[in-house]
DNA sequence: TAATCAATGTGATGCATATCACAAAATTCA
DNA sequence: TGAATTTTGTGATATGCATCACATTGATTA
């Protein structure tokens, strides 16, 4: 299925800088797909010649660690997925899975490369994106390894509220096991700490519904223990 | 000091793809510097409008974590440093310090951007570099957080041997405290584990001189406990 | 060459958190 | 609607490792 990319309402900042001719090229060379929660978008270990554009929805990037699956980061639309893999290695080095219903476009790598070559502004934006990711990744890693569980959980919750849902009330799109993989803990600890936060009046938990009651406290927990 | 970039014997793969006119532009717009072990190359928190080219030597990228300094990765020449910062934020988000004597070139960001705009091949290589880094960073983080200390230490030692020094005998360019920051442990654990590996005949340690005696074992330790 | 400071070795102790082992909900599905 | 499966809650136990507290060695400098 190919809709017209010129009028796609879900452009990234980068995409909005493309000339019409490049957009037409995209239109002619992309495959649009509707996905359901849980569907795999990119599968670690498989061969890939596509860049994926996440048009709508929320996805998790995860990687098989030495022992358990680890969720590297959450990504919400609009965003390009799989760039590192496609340019870096051809074989997908990580998986991406939809955690909500989502729409994606598969774009041929060659076409993407051409567009990258021919649009300075687009190219710059994409590079900026890489830079931002690398920095984030440095910080995330330093935090994860140094902070205690409560701190990391607080971080993750703030991230969901501020970056992903832009609201202090949201539905956790992950099971506690997945959340544990994101925060580098055990499922049990997630359960316990969530209960603690609730008891302390920092958040209200009911099922997967989370409401942040006391953001200041949550930020404090994120910074200290 | 400006030497001629055309005949620089330390080009990266990317740089070797530049046209002469771009190289001349580099020649006219770079500042060459000789550094000594321990000298700071990039300082977290300071303003930056330069990309740094590490011509010769070995450097550590480190970042102030919530509690301790963390060494994110080791980089050896030839390599560009500080790209994420300059494009991503202007304020340096991490530090880079020479751990051996080194030579660096400071390149104005504007000039670098222009060159990036005008050389498709160079541009592609730099993007590839970003991709590779992102993937590495995913893997490193997953390993660090999941493996036990012995595994991480083994990893780090193998990394030094294979990637940095290309030899199974080398001089650790870091103190045990720094090594601990690289591997996410305490100084004491580094000391202990190094002694264990020595006792087990996997490596020979004398001062900072390390010789890998049984690489197979070391790889096994890296994979398991 | 003594004296000061930095880097390393090593035991004892405590703590955060993984793991185990279930019970209880909640969800899926037939 | 009931059975089966997944998800979640919670105590008890075990353990890897940080931290503390020194001793020792090695480097630096006056």
């Amino acid at each position: 299925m190919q809709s017209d990319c010129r009028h796609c309402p879900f452009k990234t900042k980068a995409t909005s800088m493309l000339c019409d001719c490049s957009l037409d090229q995209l239109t002619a060379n992309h495959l649009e797909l509707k996905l359901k929660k849980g569907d795999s978008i990119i599968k670690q270990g498989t061969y890939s010649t596509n860049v994926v554009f996440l048009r709508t929805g929320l996805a998790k990037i995860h990687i098989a660690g030495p022992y358990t699956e680890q969720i590297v980061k959450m990504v919400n639309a609009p965003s390009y997925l799989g760039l590192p893999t496609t340019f870096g290695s051809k074989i997908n080095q990580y998986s991406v899975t939809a955690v909500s219903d989502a729409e994606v476009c598969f774009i041929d790598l060659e076409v993407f490369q051409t567009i990258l070559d021919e649009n300075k502004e687009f190219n710059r934006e994409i590079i900026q994106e890489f830079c931002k990711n690398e920095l984030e990744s440095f910080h995330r890693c330093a935090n994860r390894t140094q902070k205690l569980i409560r701190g990391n959980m607080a971080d993750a919750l703030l991230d969901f509220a501020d970056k992903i849902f832009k609201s202090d009330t949201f539905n956790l799109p992950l099971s506690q096991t997945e959340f544990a993989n994101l925060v580098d803990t055990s499922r049990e600890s997630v359960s316990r700490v969530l209960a603690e936060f609730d008891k302390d009046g920092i958040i209200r938990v009911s099922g997967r519904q989370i409401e942040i009651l006391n953001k200041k406290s949550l930020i404090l927990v994120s910074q200290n223990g």
Side-chain angles (χ1 to χ4, degrees), chain A:
Chain A
M1 196 247 273
Q2 287 152 8
S3 58
D4 187 351
C5 295
R6 284 204 205 188
H7 306 109
C8 176
F10 302 110
K11 294 195 186 86
T12 65
K13 190 175 170 203
T15 316
S16 68
M17 296 183 163
L18 289 178
C19 62
D20 282 350
C21 69
S22 285
L23 285 169
D24 291 343
Q25 206 175 351
L26 270 184
T27 305
N29 288 284
H30 83 281
L31 179 68
E32 214 174 316
L33 231 58
K34 282 189 199 307
L35 300 179
K36 281 189 313 189
K37 176 179 165 146
D39 285 351
S40 170
I41 300 174
I42 291 174
K43 207 174 214 126
Q44 181 167 6
T46 63
Y47 189 79
S48 163
T49 52
N50 286 292
V51 172
V52 182
F53 174 63
L54 183 66
R55 228 165 90 99
T56 64
L58 182 60
K60 60 174 180 180
I61 296 182
H62 48 119
I63 187 169
Y67 299 108
T68 57
E69 196 75 8
Q70 176 151 2
I71 297 181
V72 175
K73 65 191 286 201
M74 306 296 302
V75 181
N76 58 357
S79 175
Y80 288 100
L81 300 169
L83 293 178
T85 312
T86 23
F87 288 111
S89 90
K90 300 296 174 210
I91 302 287
N92 287 306
Q93 299 291 307
Y94 55 77
S95 301
V96 182
T97 304
V99 298
S100 73
D101 290 356
E103 298 171 86
V104 296
C105 305
F106 287 84
I107 302 160
D108 184 80
L109 178 57
E110 296 287 328
V111 174
F112 194 85
Q113 182 64 264
T114 309
I115 291 174
L116 214 42
D117 284 346
E118 290 171 0
N119 296 269
K120 280 193 180 48
E121 296 300 322
F122 180 73
N123 191 302
R124 286 190 186 193
E125 286 295 329
I126 295 292
I127 286 185
Q128 286 245 5
E129 201 61 31
F130 277 121
C131 293
K132 240 184 51 203
N133 286 344
E134 189 160 345
L135 290 177
E136 259 178 26
S137 150
F138 287 178
H139 281 117
R140 207 174 22 243
C141 193
N143 282 329
R144 290 265 176 81
T145 50
Q146 287 182 29
K147 284 189 188 174
L148 302 184
I149 293 181
R150 287 169 57 92
N152 281 323
M153 297 247 328
D155 269 354
L157 290 174
L158 288 168
D159 229 59
F160 275 118
D162 298 340
K163 303 251 179 76
I164 308 278
F165 294 111
K166 279 124 188 150
S167 157
D168 285 359
T169 308
F170 56 87
N171 240 55
L172 248 198
L174 305 174
S175 73
Q176 291 189 359
T177 305
E178 288 177 298
F179 199 103
N181 292 340
L182 175 67
V183 178
D184 262 308
T185 342
S186 63
R187 193 216 93 225
E188 293 92 327
S189 293
V190 169
S191 173
R192 275 186 260 261
V193 172
L194 239 31
E196 276 174 42
F197 285 175
D198 184 299
K199 188 159 62 67
D200 296 349
I202 301 175
I203 64 176
R204 157 163 299 116
V205 186
S206 65
R208 293 202 181 169
Q209 180 77 203
I210 303 253
E211 182 181 356
I212 298 180
L213 299 174
N214 189 339
K215 203 153 189 174
K216 292 225 171 72
S217 291
L218 197 55
I219 292 171
L220 272 174
V221 173
S222 143
Q223 286 162 355
N224 314 311

